[in-house]
Amino acid sequence: MKLVHITPHLGGGVGKAHAALCAADDEAWKRRYVLLEAPRDPHYADLVRASGATITVAPDAAALDALMRAADLVQFEWWNHPLLLRLMAWTDLPPMRSVAWSHVSGLHAPLIPPGLIGAVDRFLFTSACSLLSAPLSGVLAANAGRIGVVNSGFGFPRPVPGDTGTGRAGRVSYLGTVDFAKMSPAMFEVIDRLEADVVVDLHGAAADDSPVRAAVAAMRHPGRVRLCGHSQDPAAVFAQSSILLYLLQPNHFGTAENALVEAMSLGCAPLVFANACELAIVHDGETGFVVRDVAEAAARLDWMLARPDAVAHIGRRAARDVARNRTPALSLAQLRTTWLAMLDRPRRQPSLSAALGSSPADWYRRLQGLEDDDCIDAAGAPGAASKGSLAHFRAHFPDLEARK
């Protein structure tokens, strides 16, 4: 089976997922990855290539058309990247068997355009939480036979060198995006309210002018937070921690939550807010703890700090749960089942422009949940060109219209 993956790049969580899947696949040499832009960090692309897959970077239109026509199946790695939208909406795609694997939840912006689900042959989510999406409720019911869920967040294999066993008791960490676009500012109020005098290590890059640094400075007990910067070795962080304090914004953009799954795989007991994504991963009282507000979070964290044996037990259950349910081998088997079932289907030309819109402004509005006559600037503030942001779109489409 000749499989072509089309993806903007192989960085971040998407690259990590595919590197793990290719490493588990003894037929990875049959895969070709088409990257729409050169990778900024080639780490995961190099791992994919080392597994035997072929990588083609930014082919011209004729070469890409030939690759898609020769493939038994084309899989679009979906998220709100301007280059992927340009390809899908503006290209006269050839007849194909098409799959889209969504690497955003669609619960909040960036939304998943409802028409996209019916435009491809199969649509896969990375988390069951996406099935709760209110904007997608009608289209999910109408297309139940072509929808599936395949996890893309995997744990570390055990054992991991550096696991300190009982020496990790009482150590609390956060690892991930140190930015209020994802992490909740309530985390610092929770830490301030603790009866226990504990230090929480925050692992992740934070600029000198980051609002996170300002929030720490404004705490009553700023010494309880240690900004550790980016970690090159998350496994070591988790192996030396007993509690993962993972309190995120209710409308955060995550779905597979690699850091959460990786921490659980190494026996960290997570404390999370009751967001849909986290609820699909953490089972309250069994593999971690789910709380609904600051007061409950502070009380539960104090409870955890006072009961290291109970926390260790929860951590062991979390590790077993990940080992059973969140492995590359399991996701690969689910993907392969989907792919093989499609080989008898006739090729058809996907009509993606109607689902996405005809202009970059249309794409951006639909992904942000804006009406056709809404001002684009209302959905995004100026800033760095983070993935799918207004600045990101304007970096690729400088004449992006401010109004329709």
Side-chain angles (χ1 to χ4, degrees):
M1 176 174 57
K2 294 180 180 179
L3 179 62
V4 169
H5 298 267
I6 297 180
T7 180
H9 54 70
L10 281 172
V14 176
K16 177 179 282 191
H18 280 281
L21 290 167
C22 285
D25 188 358
D26 57 6
E27 295 185 341
W29 58 274
K30 295 182 179 180
R31 300 184 188 218
R32 181 183 292 271
Y33 286 82
V34 175
L35 279 55
L36 302 181
E37 64 181 1
R40 296 179 183 178
D41 180 352
H43 175 66
Y44 293 123
D46 289 344
L47 292 177
V48 166
R49 190 180 286 111
S51 296
T54 301
I55 293 180
T56 300
V57 178
D60 62 30
L64 179 55
D65 183 82
L67 290 172
M68 290 189 286
R69 289 182 185 276
D72 294 310
L73 189 144
V74 176
Q75 180 163 302
F76 296 96
E77 308 299 331
W78 167 261
W79 76 95
N80 56 319
H81 194 290
L83 292 182
L84 183 63
L85 287 153
R86 181 172 68 182
L87 170 70
M88 297 174 78
W90 280 357
T91 302
D92 186 20
L93 297 172
M96 64 176 71
R97 302 178 187 94
S98 59
V99 179
W101 193 18
S102 178
H103 300 281
V104 295
S105 72
L107 294 172
H108 317 284
L111 302 176
I112 297 170
L116 179 61
I117 292 175
V120 293
D121 294 314
R122 290 298 305 273
F123 194 93
L124 303 176
F125 297 105
T126 45
S127 171
C129 72
S130 296
L131 302 176
L132 303 175
S133 170
L136 296 179
S137 59
V139 73
L140 291 178
N143 292 275
R146 65 174 70 199
I147 291 167
V149 177
V150 178
N151 169 57
S152 65
F154 312 119
F156 290 110
R158 292 177 62 93
V160 170
D163 190 332
T164 56
T166 56
R168 69 201 294 192
R171 299 184 67 172
V172 185
S173 296
Y174 168 91
L175 187 147
T177 303
V178 181
D179 186 303
F180 291 142
K182 188 166 187 182
M183 70 184 300
S184 172
M187 182 182 298
F188 302 109
E189 186 178 352
V190 169
I191 297 169
D192 253 344
R193 286 195 184 195
L194 293 174
E195 295 181 7
D197 191 16
V198 66
V199 175
V200 178
D201 289 332
L202 265 60
H203 296 269
D208 290 342
D209 61 349
S210 167
V212 172
R213 292 186 182 273
V216 173
M219 291 175 64
R220 288 183 290 113
H221 304 289
R224 291 181 175 181
V225 173
R226 182 161 48 211
L227 294 171
C228 302
H230 175 70
S231 173
Q232 296 287 352
D233 192 355
V237 172
F238 297 140
Q240 295 165 14
S241 305
S242 64
I243 298 170
L244 179 73
L245 185 62
Y246 204 66
L247 304 177
L248 304 183
Q249 295 272 27
N251 60 345
H252 72 81
F253 52 79
T255 174
E257 289 309 320
N258 285 297
L260 174 58
V261 173
E262 288 172 351
M264 292 171 66
S265 76
L266 295 184
C268 285
L271 178 63
V272 301
F273 278 143
N275 301 326
C277 176
E278 292 92 307
L279 286 171
I281 299 171
V282 179
H283 306 295
D284 187 34
E286 298 179 13
T287 62
F289 294 99
V290 178
V291 293
R292 284 158 181 79
D293 55 37
V294 167
E296 187 181 358
R300 176 56 71 186
L301 185 52
D302 268 324
W303 185 95
M304 295 173 77
L305 289 166
R307 295 167 176 80
D309 290 343
V311 168
H313 176 69
I314 291 287
R316 289 190 293 271
R317 294 182 69 168
R320 288 194 294 270
D321 182 73
V322 171
R324 283 194 301 264
N325 300 310
R326 297 183 181 276
T327 67
L330 178 59
S331 291
L332 178 62
Q334 293 169 335
L335 286 169
R336 188 167 282 155
T337 297
T338 296
W339 298 335
L340 291 175
M342 294 177 62
L343 292 182
D344 291 334
R345 298 176 62 94
R347 289 175 167 85
R348 68 184 181 100
Q349 186 173 30
S351 178
L352 300 177
S353 180
L356 301 175
S358 59
S359 74
D362 288 338
W363 311 335
Y364 187 80
R365 286 191 181 93
R366 293 190 186 189
L367 296 174
Q368 296 298 321
L370 299 175
E371 299 297 330
D372 288 348
D373 58 352
D374 284 343
C375 177
I376 286 178
D377 289 300
S386 58
K387 59 183 181 182
S389 67
L390 179 58
H392 193 195
F393 268 73
R394 284 191 167 139
H396 289 282
F397 306 104
D399 58 347
L400 185 73
E401 58 191 14
R403 293 183 182 271
K404 192 168 177 74

